[in-house]
Amino acid sequence: MSTFIAGLDLARAFYHEAVQPILAKHHPRLSHSAALLGSGSEVLGFDDAVSRDHNWGPRLQLFLSAPDHDCLSATISQTLRGHLPYQFRGFATNWGAPKHENDDQGTQLLASITSGEVNHRVDIQTIDDFMRAHFGMGQYHELRSADWLSIPQQKLLSFTAGEVFHDALGLEIIRQRFTFYPRDVWIYLLACGWQRIGQDEHLAPRAGSVGDELGSRLIAGRLVRSIVLLCFLMERTYAPYPKWLGSAFQQLDCARELAPILESVQLAGGYRERERHLCAAWKVLNRLHNKLQLTKRIAPAVQEFHGRGFLVSDAWRYTEALVDRISCADLQQLAARSLIGGIDQFSDNTDLREAVHLRATIADLYAG
């Protein structure tokens, strides 16, 4: 194989050096945007040599207006099939036929050819169609609080990450709408993140106290995940899906201090040692929360749980203080009914989070 190049760098060069010159020659008046967004580790910048085993190579999205798409998409695709080089930067530009949709979700592999037309991965579509396939809503959809809560963070991240290489259609303006949650949605999600911690934090030492070290470790693992997701929210950054959650967490400002503590929680030999490391985490989270200045200062960071001898953060204090700061009426009503949080907070089921056709139904969970 060729020397590794980051997929995003490859896509950028592929557009500017191969695709754009063909468009300029054969469709000089074409108004379009070009980007690499959506699925793929390279969109998030986490691809490596292993990533080349599927759905990785010279590829990008070419966005057209709806009228141009209806009239020209087939012609443009055929032009690219006939004029793209067979190799680009040492990689084939031809892709094999997709595998069966039930076989690893229809993955495609690069397939070298030396004659004939190129089966390219310049995906020609409209921005609206891309967003409907990615989010389950079009570009003109007016976002409600329930819509924000029903979209997995991975979807939001992979739409706002990646790169736009050329933009005559205003794709960047649309992406800016999704940069991060509106303030009240953010506060609601923070409150729900603390709610998850409050429901579990006393259970890890409780299970350990009766000799159930496996149970204590399992609960501690849930707490570590809840802490990590809360940290992404605190730093106003979308969290990726599980494969890259730890890698992305290491890029947060708080990770330098918090990552070793969380690793110690997971490696602890007994529940008291585990509790000690969790207490260190509560102190860091307390400081991070107070730094946000969303509520009055909350202290101390660690308290005893109802005289039972277990030390916890008493997370309910953060939840209640944050809920009090919500000013949006629909989110106030939602918080009064339930603090289930966003889809990433109440479910880690991949099929549910990837079911774009169910997004509107999931949003209905918040309707009351």
Side-chain angles (χ1 to χ4, degrees):
M1 283 191 175
S2 303
T3 302
F4 176 74
I5 177 175
L8 197 57
D9 294 338
L10 179 64
R12 183 190 311 110
F14 183 53
Y15 170 73
H16 288 295
E17 298 174 23
V19 175
Q20 195 278 334
I22 294 173
L23 296 178
K25 179 178 180 180
H26 296 274
H27 304 277
R29 298 181 180 178
L30 182 69
S31 181
H32 68 278
S33 294
L36 184 63
L37 312 174
S39 63
S41 298
E42 66 269 43
V43 173
L44 306 184
F46 291 128
D47 55 319
D48 57 16
V50 175
S51 304
R52 301 191 305 193
D53 66 351
H54 70 291
N55 285 344
W56 190 98
R59 69 180 187 94
L60 54 91
Q61 293 98 21
L62 183 67
F63 296 106
L64 307 181
S65 67
D68 281 349
H69 185 271
D70 291 343
C71 297
L72 298 173
S73 60
T75 301
I76 293 170
S77 182
Q78 186 60 41
T79 299
L80 293 171
R81 290 173 70 89
H83 292 87
L84 280 172
Y86 294 133
Q87 295 278 321
F88 182 79
R89 297 286 179 91
F91 297 96
T93 60
N94 184 73
W95 295 75
K99 295 181 179 181
H100 189 273
E101 63 179 0
N102 293 325
D103 184 6
D104 201 14
Q105 301 180 349
T107 57
Q108 287 183 269
L109 305 177
L110 297 178
S112 296
I113 58 173
T114 56
S115 63
E117 296 182 334
V118 174
N119 182 34
H120 61 79
R121 282 286 304 276
V122 179
D123 301 325
I124 304 172
Q125 54 199 298
T126 67
I127 296 173
D128 190 70
D129 286 343
F130 177 86
M131 292 182 65
R132 290 183 185 279
H134 190 69
F135 286 136
M137 65 179 75
Q139 71 181 98
Y140 302 109
H141 185 95
E142 185 176 348
L143 287 163
R144 307 165 298 158
S145 298
D147 295 322
W148 282 105
L149 296 172
S150 64
I151 303 173
Q153 290 190 49
Q154 167 68 21
K155 294 284 187 181
L156 294 165
L157 177 61
S158 60
F159 183 65
T160 54
E163 186 176 330
V164 176
F165 312 128
H166 177 79
D167 192 19
L169 301 182
L171 177 58
E172 283 289 20
I173 295 174
I174 297 170
R175 294 211 309 162
Q176 288 171 12
R177 293 173 56 202
F178 295 87
T179 300
F180 199 65
Y181 298 111
R183 181 178 174 84
D184 275 7
V185 175
W186 176 47
I187 294 174
Y188 171 77
L189 290 170
L190 285 168
C192 295
W194 279 107
Q195 176 91 335
R196 283 185 57 93
I197 289 173
Q199 292 166 343
D200 281 351
E201 61 181 345
H202 61 290
L203 300 180
R206 180 70 176 106
S209 71
V210 296
D212 182 10
E213 276 297 321
L214 175 59
S216 180
R217 291 190 188 98
L218 289 171
I219 298 166
R222 279 168 52 99
L223 281 167
V224 168
R225 178 179 180 273
S226 295
I227 291 168
V228 166
L229 292 178
L230 182 59
C231 287
F232 277 96
L233 288 170
M234 286 181 165
E235 296 199 14
R236 297 178 65 85
T237 302
Y238 295 128
Y241 71 127
K243 178 166 65 170
W244 302 121
L245 186 61
S247 297
F249 176 71
Q250 295 287 351
Q251 296 177 353
L252 297 182
D253 291 339
C254 67
R256 182 175 181 178
E257 180 179 13
L258 199 49
I261 296 173
L262 298 183
E263 291 177 4
S264 295
V265 170
Q266 295 181 302
L267 296 174
Y271 81 94
R272 283 302 187 190
E273 180 188 354
R274 193 169 301 119
E275 179 187 63
R276 176 167 56 83
H277 294 304
L278 282 170
C279 285
W282 305 145
K283 292 177 182 178
V284 175
L285 291 180
N286 175 265
R287 189 173 68 252
L288 293 175
H289 170 84
N290 287 331
K291 186 178 179 180
L292 293 175
Q293 296 183 329
L294 291 172
T295 70
K296 292 182 179 179
R297 187 173 183 275
I298 295 178
V302 177
Q303 297 186 0
E304 186 178 2
F305 184 76
H306 299 302
R308 296 186 181 182
F310 308 137
L311 298 178
V312 297
S313 72
D314 202 8
W316 312 103
R317 300 173 299 153
Y318 302 88
T319 299
E320 293 173 359
L322 286 162
V323 167
D324 285 344
R325 300 299 297 166
I326 296 173
S327 58
C328 176
D330 64 331
L331 282 169
Q332 286 177 337
Q333 294 170 6
L334 174 59
R337 290 194 306 269
S338 175
L339 290 171
I340 62 172
I343 184 171
D344 302 285
Q345 291 174 315
F346 70 72
S347 176
D348 62 357
N349 182 278
T350 300
D351 287 342
L352 178 65
R353 295 198 292 188
E354 288 296 318
V356 176
H357 64 286
L358 293 178
R359 192 211 56 78
T361 302
I362 295 167
D364 287 341
L365 289 173
Y366 303 100

